[in-house]
Amino acid sequence: MITLLEAGLLVFIVLSALMTAILRDVLAAIIVFGAYSLGMAVLWIVLRAPDVGLTEAAVGAGIMTVLLLVSIARTTRLTGIELRPVEINWGVAALCGLFVLAILATVPALPDMGQTVGNPVFGEIYNHYVTMAYEQTHVENVVTAILVAYRGFDTLGEATVVFTAGVAVLTVLRREVDA
Amino acid sequence: MMELLTTHYNYVVFAVLLGIGLYMIIDDENLVKKVIGLNVFQTGIFLFFITISVRDGGLPAVGKGSESAYVNPLPHVLILTAIVVGVSLTALALALVVRIHEEYGSIREDVVVEVLEDE
């Protein structure tokens, strides 16, 4: 059953997502998106995912907002027309509505929230990780154990992605020097 | 219908966030807002993953064994990786936006298309 806190958070998240779509002023959209990320971070904590919540608060609400602000500082913040909300293109909105309906059509087939019976996520792999993680890795936090031990190569791949993105950003932003 | 809503509400929010993100990616003329739309779409998918990992009365998976019911840690790990990869993608996308602004003097898609047509 939904709690008041969850309901409030979900309403806040959907409303702030709508606000980012409607606001024409980029700076306002970025600030609302920061609030959206923070709402998400709190929701992760409520859903018992503290590791994800901390990462979302630091990376999603923190680094992401800074990146967005730096990029508008280096480009432009549209002036003059930004107080009017974006005119909604109803054709595109209808298309997105159809997309949402298509996804909603699959929702009844999903297991009830919080139920483990008939939920394939709670299978053999779950049991193995939860019962064996401490014995095999001596790390009490199972999330950390999976991240750096069982799926260590996955995390190495992640580091490679971050490195590649860093190199790509530097390449894109490098001033062209006359040879 | 109402009963479905009380047991699947997070999945409904997941679908709505995907729709809002998709709308921003397709329709918004401002390239920075397109990138924000991409992030809204992405966090919608995170919500799906975290929601399937929840179990009633489950605690975060921290401890020395299975003496209590834990939520599933595996989706959390996948989403941690996805958040970091998402930030890398955003950084690269924004760098390209800055570069487009240097080249065409605008971060609006319609203006960039106009400049391209004039050339």
Side-chain angles (χ1 to χ4, degrees):
Chain A
M1 203 53 215
I2 191 163
T3 62
L4 196 63
L5 178 63
E6 272 181 288
L9 275 172
L10 290 173
V11 169
F12 176 77
I13 284 165
V14 171
L15 284 183
S16 49
L18 275 176
M19 282 293 282
T20 53
I22 288 168
L23 284 169
R24 191 188 290 266
D25 183 5
V26 196
L27 182 62
I30 291 170
I31 291 167
V32 176
F33 181 69
Y36 166 86
S37 293
L38 204 60
M40 273 293 184
V42 179
L43 184 66
W44 301 150
I45 306 283
V46 173
L47 293 176
R48 305 282 193 277
D51 307 81
V52 183
L54 284 174
T55 313
E56 177 81 37
V59 172
I63 296 177
M64 195 85 85
T65 310
V66 171
L67 280 176
L68 288 164
L69 286 175
V70 167
S71 67
I72 62 156
R74 288 194 55 165
T75 58
T76 48
R77 173 185 169 201
L78 304 177
T79 49
I81 49 166
E82 70 264 21
L83 287 178
R84 281 188 295 125
V86 173
E87 289 113 29
I88 292 164
N89 182 335
W90 292 106
V92 177
L95 187 75
C96 295
L98 273 179
F99 174 75
V100 171
L101 284 179
I103 292 181
L104 282 179
T106 69
V107 165
L110 292 166
D112 288 2
M113 283 172 59
Q115 296 301 314
T116 50
V117 183
N119 186 347
V121 176
F122 290 90
E124 201 180 320
I125 298 172
Y126 165 77
N127 285 330
H128 178 83
Y129 279 143
V130 168
T131 51
M132 301 298 284
Y134 183 73
E135 204 175 301
Q136 290 181 331
T137 64
H138 291 277
V139 179
E140 285 190 25
N141 187 335
V142 184
V143 173
T144 313
I146 298 174
L147 194 69
V148 298
Y150 293 107
R151 297 182 68 96
F153 276 113
D154 207 8
T155 307
L156 183 65
E158 175 194 336
T160 314
V161 169
V162 175
F163 176 74
T164 314
V167 171
V169 167
L170 289 178
T171 312
V172 169
L173 291 182
R174 191 181 54 189
R175 298 260 169 264
E176 282 170 36
V177 184
D178 293 324
Chain B
M1 187 66 201
M2 272 319 283
E3 197 193 326
L4 192 69
L5 204 60
T6 54
T7 52
H8 289 73
Y9 49 88
N10 270 7
Y11 297 121
V12 175
V13 174
F14 146 73
V16 171
L17 289 180
L18 253 52
I20 296 172
L22 190 66
Y23 179 84
M24 287 174 81
I25 296 168
I26 296 176
D27 190 59
D28 214 291
E29 295 291 356
N30 192 307
L31 294 173
V32 174
K33 281 193 64 188
K34 269 187 202 286
V35 177
I36 295 179
L38 205 63
N39 278 294
V40 171
F41 193 95
Q42 183 179 268
T43 41
I45 294 170
F46 295 169
L47 181 61
F48 175 77
F49 270 70
I50 300 299
T51 305
I52 56 170
S53 76
V54 172
R55 71 188 289 178
D56 286 336
L59 294 170
V62 180
K64 293 185 178 178
S66 59
E67 56 266 23
S68 52
Y70 292 139
V71 296
N72 195 328
L74 187 56
H76 296 185
V77 175
L78 300 179
I79 294 312
L80 282 178
T81 308
I83 290 177
V84 175
V85 170
V87 169
S88 308
L89 269 174
T90 306
L92 183 54
L94 289 173
L96 288 170
V97 171
V98 170
R99 197 70 186 81
I100 287 170
H101 182 260
E102 281 174 10
E103 204 73 22
Y104 300 103
S106 176
I107 55 168
R108 283 183 65 87
E109 195 185 18
D110 47 349
V111 179
V112 172
V113 170
E114 258 172 46
V115 173
L116 278 172
E117 278 169 356
D118 288 347
E119 276 172 1

